Amino acid sequence: MKRVLITGKNSYIGTSLENWLMREPDQYKVDTVDMKDGSWKEKDFSLYDVVFHVAGIAHVSSDPKMEDLYYNVNRDLTIQTAEKAKAEGVKQFIFMSSIIVYGDSSSSKRVIDKNTVPTPSNFYGNSKLQAEEGIKNLESDGFKIVVVRPPMIYGKGSKGNYPRLANMAKKIPIFPDIDNERSMLHIDNLCEFIKVMIDYEDNGLFFPQNAEYVKTSELVKTIADVHGKKIWMISWLNWLIRFMFGIGIVNKVFGNLVYEKSMSDYDKANYRIRTFKESIELTEK
């Protein structure tokens, strides 16, 4: 039996993984810990084989007043948690980083491969990258570190851009048909990936994503179809969308940002248990 401690109590990803693993209660024992105060420092980490560190600030802010908080939570707290885990005999530390370490999406096609150097464009991305670098030297034969850089995560109950697009798909009759590509990761595929990491006691830097790239207009159309709504894809507004690139929300919705597909393969097991269409049906129904 694997004993797993999830940091970030009541977080979307943490709760999803807990529910996923507890479908096999004979194979996993899962606990969670709240990291919002200092009480986690008194937690006995020696009881666990794995610490899955998902606690952190998960949204992008441009408010300079938030910068110190991002580094305190996303970087310093990660390093402190990893140090405690190693000192108390935990065998594997899994850290949820982000594709954001490579910067923002772009108006033209942008493919990240294994040679792409991270270039954070904000303190959210930089705090995640510095956390990765801060825990790297802690790794040893007895303390394996997994760093996960997922693209946009979505699923039932998720927050961020996906629910905004879903609301639009259910309400508006037209949507711009911009030809873009995004890597995405359904929550079930992510949870299965983390489960596989735990099962195989692996270590390294990983880039899980769905098997399919996603075009925003196709995403919106698929959501509308699930709800029996008719939505028309139009191209005559494309010039305006392209003119508006550089505005944060436009980049997020219509930008291009994908991982080269082979870098997301995992030879030991198939973690992509949901197709794109199936994932939208599960999310919306």
Side-chain angles (χ1 to χ4, degrees):
M1 176 179 283
K2 295 283 188 178
R3 301 165 298 168
V4 181
L5 178 65
I6 299 173
T7 70
K9 190 173 184 178
N10 298 324
S11 66
Y12 176 67
I13 294 174
T15 300
S16 298
L17 179 65
E18 180 181 12
N19 293 336
W20 193 258
L21 294 178
M22 290 313 297
R23 300 185 309 166
E24 302 177 56
D26 294 336
Q27 300 298 317
Y28 308 96
K29 182 183 186 302
V30 183
D31 288 329
T32 61
V33 61
D34 195 338
M35 306 293 282
K36 292 179 181 177
D37 57 31
S39 61
W40 65 272
K41 296 177 182 179
E42 307 304 318
K43 184 79 172 176
D44 186 0
F45 281 23
S46 70
L47 300 175
Y48 304 98
D49 303 300
V50 181
V51 169
F52 177 57
H53 185 65
V54 72
I57 305 175
H59 61 275
V60 176
S61 172
S62 58
D63 184 353
K65 295 179 182 178
M66 296 286 288
E67 185 169 0
D68 287 345
L69 181 62
Y70 272 76
Y71 286 106
N72 288 339
V73 175
N74 288 350
R75 179 193 61 194
D76 300 344
L77 183 61
T78 299
I79 296 170
Q80 292 166 13
T81 306
E83 289 174 341
K84 177 176 170 64
K86 181 176 183 178
E88 297 185 16
V90 174
K91 298 174 184 176
Q92 186 185 44
F93 186 83
I94 303 175
F95 171 54
M96 284 294 292
S97 186
S98 171
I99 195 173
I100 200 70
V101 302
Y102 294 104
D104 295 328
S105 54
S106 63
S107 58
S108 57
K109 186 170 182 177
R110 185 180 177 208
V111 180
I112 297 168
D113 61 29
K114 289 189 176 179
N115 296 317
T116 303
V117 178
T119 52
S121 58
N122 51 57
F123 45 78
Y124 170 50
N126 197 38
S127 65
K128 286 288 190 180
L129 184 60
Q130 289 189 20
E132 291 183 20
E133 294 169 347
I135 64 176
K136 190 183 305 180
N137 293 332
L138 295 174
E139 186 161 34
S140 64
D141 290 340
F143 187 63
K144 295 182 177 181
I145 292 178
V146 174
V147 173
V148 185
R149 291 179 181 167
M152 187 181 91
I153 297 165
Y154 67 101
K156 196 168 190 66
S158 63
K159 299 178 181 179
N161 289 329
Y162 179 91
R164 297 190 189 102
L165 286 171
N167 286 333
M168 291 174 67
K170 290 179 280 187
K171 294 177 180 178
I172 63 176
I174 61 174
F175 192 83
D177 191 13
I178 296 288
D179 189 21
N180 70 321
E181 286 184 330
R182 300 299 296 257
S183 289
M184 293 175 62
L185 182 62
H186 184 254
I187 188 65
D188 287 357
N189 288 343
L190 171 62
C191 288
E192 183 64 15
F193 179 80
I194 300 301
K195 177 179 177 293
V196 165
M197 291 291 103
I198 294 170
D199 290 346
Y200 285 93
E201 300 179 358
D202 218 331
N203 67 301
L205 177 61
F206 297 92
F207 315 86
Q209 64 176 330
N210 291 349
E212 311 95 331
Y213 292 153
V214 179
K215 180 179 176 181
T216 303
S217 60
E218 291 178 354
L219 170 61
V220 170
K221 186 178 185 303
T222 304
I223 294 171
D225 289 345
V226 169
H227 291 281
K229 302 289 185 180
K230 182 66 177 178
I231 189 167
W232 298 92
M233 296 297 149
I234 59 173
S235 58
W236 53 268
L237 279 177
N238 289 8
W239 67 272
L240 180 59
I241 300 297
R242 294 191 180 97
F243 178 76
M244 294 171 66
F245 262 98
I247 300 174
I249 188 63
V250 176
N251 285 21
K252 289 179 181 179
V253 174
F254 295 106
N256 292 267
L257 189 62
V258 298
Y259 282 130
E260 189 274 322
K261 288 190 175 182
S262 67
M263 68 191 290
S264 299
D265 294 340
Y266 189 69
D267 295 338
K268 298 176 184 177
N270 175 36
Y271 65 89
R272 295 170 175 137
I273 59 171
R274 308 294 187 206
T275 64
F276 170 68
K277 185 176 181 181
E278 181 186 9
S279 74
I280 299 302
E281 291 173 346
L282 288 169
T283 300
E284 294 303 312
K285 291 186 176 181

